Amino acid sequence: MHVAVLGATGAVGRTMLEVLAERAFPLDHLTLLASPRSAGTRLSCGGREVTVSAPHARCFEGVDLALFSAGADRSREWAPRAVHAGAVVVDNSSAWRMDPDVPLVVPEVNPEALRNLPKGIVANPNCSTIQVVVALQPLHRAGGLERVVLTTFQSVSGAGESGLEALRRELARSPGAESPFTRAIAGNALPQIGEFDDEGWTAEERKMMAEPRKILGLPRLRIAPTCVRVPVEVGHAVEIMLELERDLPRAEAARALAEAPGVVFVDDPDSFPTPAEIAGRDEVFVGRLRADPGVPRAFHLWVVADNLRKGAATNAVQIAERIANG
Ligand SMILES: NC(=O)c1ccc[n+]([C@@H]2O[C@H](COP(=O)([O-])OP(=O)(O)OC[C@H]3O[C@@H](n4cnc5c(N)ncnc54)[C@H](OP(=O)(O)O)[C@@H]3O)[C@@H](O)[C@H]2O)c1
């Protein structure tokens, strides 16, 4: 296959190149694209060196599959052109996620959505959404989801290379370019990811309300998220409280999670997963399963995943594998 990666020099794009190589994706030809600033940079993917170029009118000619991770504006501009040139686009940005003609896919949860690609575009969900739906789906199957309240603890790499640089610079107390965060992030916790709307919710929280409903096929699911940026380099953690429609003994909830695809369920409380320990892994780690002491049919969970891998690159490459295999 001829694969193009738009945003190849970014935090997600570089991880995509690693994941494509690790999983021995069938690559005959690789085109790497980034901003004009990076044109001429050489990147490697599984021993193959490729020179990065800026996108141009004919850059998607002959491309079968285009993996996009260069932000929503670039996706809106370039995805229709890539599709017109004959490629299927797997897009990591928020540009197409809520378009009814674009499936929003987590392969462990709703792979059937890939059967129909009216626009030739598949959207990869938000990084926190992915780990949340992978953990929620088995419990929904077992007991029917009624309501979800969650709090995220999201690493700085969720804001890309500039987020990582801002944390490292603040820790080193060295002045530098602008930070993507509205306050200091070192030694801090910021309950703001994206702009606030008129009702006081952030853009990230709105994504976390809308995207799980679409992926799980539950348009009326009640979800109340609070999204928090924390000074961790890689790996998002989420505390989830969920209420079910039907009674479910804790042991059955534990079994549903232990058997779920893509989940590593940790039932020993002392072995709770943390971002630092699971960074570099592709699975979603779930621990601290507790029945709520006061609310019937409710559980609490602690869910951790590598936002650059399962939260972005690995999920996109898993989608690409399914497309490549027809
Ligand atoms: N980070 C995460 O955990 C995560 C998770 C899920 C989804 N996403 C989404 O993935 C996308 C990329 O995120 P990231 O974290 O990798 O960001 P990043 O580290 O800032 O990388 C952005 C990439 O886009 C490229 N780019 C910027 N302007 C461009 C232009 N005008 N034309 C072509 N390429 C351009 C950059 O190239 P230069 O290096 O040349 O500037 C870079 O390769 C975003 O849409 C983000 O929402 C991120």
Side-chain angles (χ1 to χ4, degrees):
M1 287 202 118
H2 181 170
V3 174
V5 178
L6 174 65
T9 52
V12 173
R14 287 175 189 270
T15 310
M16 274 183 186
L17 300 184
E18 283 171 31
V19 174
L20 286 167
E22 283 166 19
R23 296 173 75 100
F25 190 88
L27 273 180
D28 301 314
H29 195 72
L30 184 61
T31 295
L32 300 184
L33 303 161
S35 82
R37 294 180 292 277
S38 299
T41 305
R42 289 182 72 74
L43 294 176
S44 70
C45 176
R48 178 194 315 236
E49 283 248 317
V50 179
T51 303
V52 174
S53 53
H56 55 86
R58 298 177 60 188
C59 65
F60 294 107
E61 274 180 19
V63 170
D64 301 298
L65 191 80
L67 302 174
F68 277 27
S69 66
D73 291 344
R74 262 71 62 189
S75 291
R76 275 187 281 268
E77 179 182 357
W78 290 102
R81 299 194 201 188
V83 171
H84 184 70
V88 173
V89 172
V90 180
D91 181 37
N92 261 285
S93 81
S94 59
W96 304 96
R97 289 179 190 154
M98 298 315 296
D99 185 320
D101 289 330
V102 173
L104 182 62
V105 177
V106 178
E108 292 88 342
V109 178
N110 63 337
E112 67 287 348
L114 283 172
R115 275 190 224 124
N116 192 13
L117 305 180
K119 282 201 165 138
I121 302 171
V122 183
N124 215 40
N126 171 273
C127 38
S128 296
T129 300
I130 292 177
Q131 67 190 74
V132 164
V133 296
V134 168
L136 286 181
Q137 163 90 338
L139 297 170
H140 172 56
R141 284 223 173 106
L145 267 184
E146 196 167 87
R147 178 170 176 245
V148 178
V149 180
L150 62 88
T151 303
T152 69
F153 304 77
Q154 298 184 220
S155 67
V156 293
S157 60
E161 289 292 343
S162 63
L164 279 164
E165 277 168 30
L167 175 62
R168 289 172 185 161
R169 223 176 30 242
E170 285 179 26
L171 289 172
R173 297 184 192 287
S174 67
E178 268 182 32
S179 166
F181 311 120
T182 51
R183 312 262 181 97
I185 185 64
N188 217 350
L190 309 178
Q192 182 194 4
I193 302 182
E195 302 281 310
F196 289 106
D197 66 19
D198 292 345
E199 294 175 48
W201 297 97
T202 63
E204 186 83 351
E205 289 159 356
R206 289 292 185 193
K207 291 175 196 169
M208 296 225 53
M209 292 181 200
E211 295 182 18
R213 291 180 183 138
K214 179 169 175 178
I215 299 163
L216 294 166
L218 297 171
R220 282 179 295 282
L221 180 66
R222 288 182 290 153
I223 310 182
T226 300
C227 294
V228 182
R229 187 74 72 193
V230 293
V232 166
E233 288 210 352
V234 176
H236 292 354
V238 186
E239 198 282 333
I240 303 178
M241 190 259 205
L242 59 103
E243 290 179 50
L244 297 174
E245 289 162 353
R246 302 184 291 278
D247 282 331
L248 186 72
R250 186 197 176 281
E252 278 184 36
R255 183 146 34 101
L257 286 164
E259 290 171 359
V263 170
V264 176
F265 177 58
V266 184
D267 209 5
D268 166 17
D270 285 324
S271 305
F272 55 81
T274 69
E277 285 153 332
I278 62 83
R281 296 281 299 264
D282 286 320
E283 307 94 323
V284 173
F285 291 75
V286 181
R288 307 277 334 267
L289 175 67
R290 289 149 290 153
D292 191 278
V295 180
R297 302 181 303 283
F299 290 100
H300 294 259
L301 318 169
W302 176 250
V303 179
V304 190
D306 182 323
N307 54 293
L308 296 177
R309 293 183 73 96
K310 183 58 189 165
T314 301
N315 199 71
V317 174
Q318 287 172 324
I319 291 170
E321 287 169 347
R322 284 178 183 258
I323 292 168
N325 293 331

